[in-house]
Amino acid sequence: MSRIPVSKSGIRPVARNASLQRHTQRFLELRRGLEQIEYFCKGTVLKRMMKCGKAQCACASDPTKRHGPYFELTYKANGKTVNVKLSPPAAPLYTAAAKQYRKLKTLLNRLDKLSKTILRYQAKLAESKRQD
Ligand SMILES: [Zn+2]
């Protein structure tokens, strides 16, 4: 799993520091991306066309005559799906916010992976110092 050689004759401290520096640099670069995140919102915006339920209405038989569009924000909270109705002018705001949320999640995942890599390096350094 670890890309860092575990043997004592493994990579020299200089090479190890160079990798660590590269990872640290990348971490700082990615972290700057957090500042570019706009207002965000967990969930997905759905666009729905609905039947009104009246038997005489054209929507009952013709799918192209359904009413709408109606917009809804849907997301999970505590394991339950939550639906929030959105007005047509609000829908694009939430669509953009949901996109920002996905961007934030991608960024967090990358930062998490990178942090773990750096932590492994730091742990090795701490361990090697203890053995001296
Ligand atoms: Zn109808």
Side-chain angles (χ1 to χ4, degrees), residues 1-7 11 16 117 120-122 124:
M1 188 190 145
S2 173
R3 271 169 279 158
I4 306 159
V6 286
S7 70
I11 44 172
R16 189 187 285 171
T117 304
R120 281 199 302 269
Y121 274 87
Q122 290 183 334
K124 287 268 179 255

Side-chain angles (χ1 to χ4, degrees), residues 51-52 57 59 67:
K51 290 185 195 178
C52 65
C57 187
C59 72
H67 308 273

Side-chain angles (χ1 to χ4, degrees), residues 23-86:
H23 290 306
T24 304
Q25 204 57 43
R26 186 79 187 116
F27 182 86
L28 295 174
E29 273 169 36
L30 277 175
R31 197 177 63 178
R32 278 200 290 274
L34 288 173
E35 282 182 28
Q36 281 151 24
I37 298 289
E38 305 289 340
Y39 293 126
F40 56 88
C41 174
K42 183 182 167 183
T44 313
V45 174
L46 300 176
K47 182 182 176 182
R48 287 206 169 120
M49 304 300 285
M50 311 278 272
K51 290 185 195 178
C52 65
K54 289 175 193 157
Q56 315 94 309
C57 187
C59 72
S61 55
D62 187 351
T64 68
K65 299 267 170 72
R66 286 183 186 176
H67 308 273
Y70 296 100
F71 297 96
E72 235 174 51
L73 173 71
T74 174
Y75 61 93
K76 284 217 170 176
N78 301 320
K80 284 183 181 174
T81 302
V82 180
N83 292 303
V84 181
K85 280 183 185 165
L86 300 173

